Each structure stands twice: as C-alpha cells, then as structure tokens.
Amino acid sequence: DLRALFDSEWERDLVEAPENASYNGDARFNDRWSDYSFKAIEAQQAADREALAKLPAIARAALGAADHLHYDTFEWLLDKSIERQKFLEYLQPIGHMGGVQNADGLTEVLPFATTGDYEDWLKRMQKLPVVIEQMTELMKKGVKQGVMPPKVLMQRVPAQIATQVVED
C-alpha cells in the first residue's frame, strides 16, 4: 500500500509538473507546461492534503526499517508542503533562482533526437504565453496581498528576461 501511494504521488507530480518529468527523463509530457491557474493550484493543494490523509491507513508498524524511513520522510514532506500553503508561495511564481524567465534551461535536458522531440518542444513553446499569463495573474494577486519576493533577490530577474528577447 505504501509503494502504491508513492507510485500514485510520483505520477501525480509528473502530471502536475511536466518540466520535472522532463528533467527526470520522462518524455510523456514534453509538450506541456505546469498549470499555474488558481484552479490547478487549489487542486494540487487539496491532493496533498488527500495524500496525507491516506497515510494513516497504512500500518507503519508492519513495515520494515527502510520503509519506516520512507513513510516518515513522505509524511514530513507532505506536512511541510501543507503547512506552507498558508504562506501563499504560489503568488511568487518567479524568483532570482527560476521561473518562466528560465524556461530555455529545459532545452539542456531534452534529447532533441527525433522529429517528435522537436514537435513536442514547438507545442510547448506555443503554450508558453498561457504560462506567462497565469504567472502574471498570480503576481498581480501577490502584489495586491503584499506577497512578493524581496527586492534584493529580484534584481537578477530583468537580466534573465532580457536574454530571452531576440530580434527574430
């Protein structure tokens, strides 16, 4: 049951964060981006709470020592993820360490070995305006609620964005 829960949550993460799937070598979602809509964020947060609620049904005492550690680590990670929900971190979708302004970095892990690889990338790129719009909406709400990253950290972001601007 523990392994089934882990497998289910791993798959959920790949679906919710296609970029992570790509970084992990799973090409099934190479044609899409994460959904940063308010509806998707609410669903992801609810799914975290549901996953944590499933954990007590698994008899921890019946598990081996290694799975005790896996169980405890999984529980701790979910606890912390749920606890952080109150801080509205999703209202800060870009930062000095990453965001849509670094989307080109994904190309370094994609194989680009087949026509399909290029087609997937083109599909992904065609969807980029939606991601930018979703992140803009998140940031607007963040500004209204005073949930913003520190100015000193954001000073790197304009240069990161500028490298994305080209003539053609």
Side-chain angles (χ1 to χ4, degrees):
D1 290 341
L2 183 64
R3 296 291 171 183
L5 179 58
F6 288 170
D7 290 345
S8 172
E9 287 301 296
W10 176 260
E11 187 66 22
R12 177 171 70 93
D13 182 62
L14 297 177
V15 170
E16 290 177 355
E19 303 88 347
N20 289 345
S22 296
Y23 278 109
N24 283 296
D26 187 331
R28 292 178 293 159
F29 312 106
N30 280 355
D31 63 342
R32 61 193 85 164
W33 299 102
S34 296
D35 184 347
Y36 293 97
S37 68
F38 290 107
K39 182 178 177 181
I41 291 166
E42 288 173 8
Q44 292 164 9
Q45 291 179 341
D48 282 350
R49 292 188 298 273
E50 290 169 18
L52 185 60
K54 291 176 185 176
L55 205 51
I58 298 169
R60 184 184 179 280
L63 301 172
D67 280 336
H68 279 177
L69 179 59
H70 297 148
Y71 182 105
D72 294 345
T73 302
F74 184 73
E75 181 179 41
W76 184 86
L77 289 169
L78 278 174
D79 273 337
K80 295 304 171 194
S81 177
I82 293 164
E83 187 178 314
R84 286 193 336 265
Q85 289 177 5
K86 66 185 173 192
F87 297 113
L88 310 175
E89 293 172 333
Y90 61 89
L91 295 179
Q92 299 178 49
I94 66 170
H96 70 291
M97 296 290 288
V100 71
Q101 76 275 14
N102 301 118
D104 65 315
L106 195 54
T107 61
E108 295 184 22
V109 300
L110 296 173
F112 294 108
T114 68
T115 301
D117 293 336
Y118 286 94
E119 289 171 344
D120 283 346
W121 181 250
L122 290 173
K123 288 176 189 172
R124 208 174 223 171
M125 291 306 296
Q126 289 169 347
K127 297 172 186 172
L128 195 55
V130 173
V131 174
I132 293 169
E133 181 60 32
Q134 289 173 337
M135 288 191 173
T136 301
E137 289 303 312
L138 292 172
M139 289 185 287
K140 284 179 180 178
K141 188 171 182 179
V143 168
K144 285 181 184 175
Q145 295 187 14
V147 179
M148 298 176 293
K151 183 177 180 179
V152 69
L153 296 179
M154 295 302 289
Q155 291 173 343
R156 295 182 186 175
V157 175
Q160 293 171 340
I161 293 171
T163 65
Q164 305 299 315
V165 178
V166 296
E167 292 292 322
D168 183 0

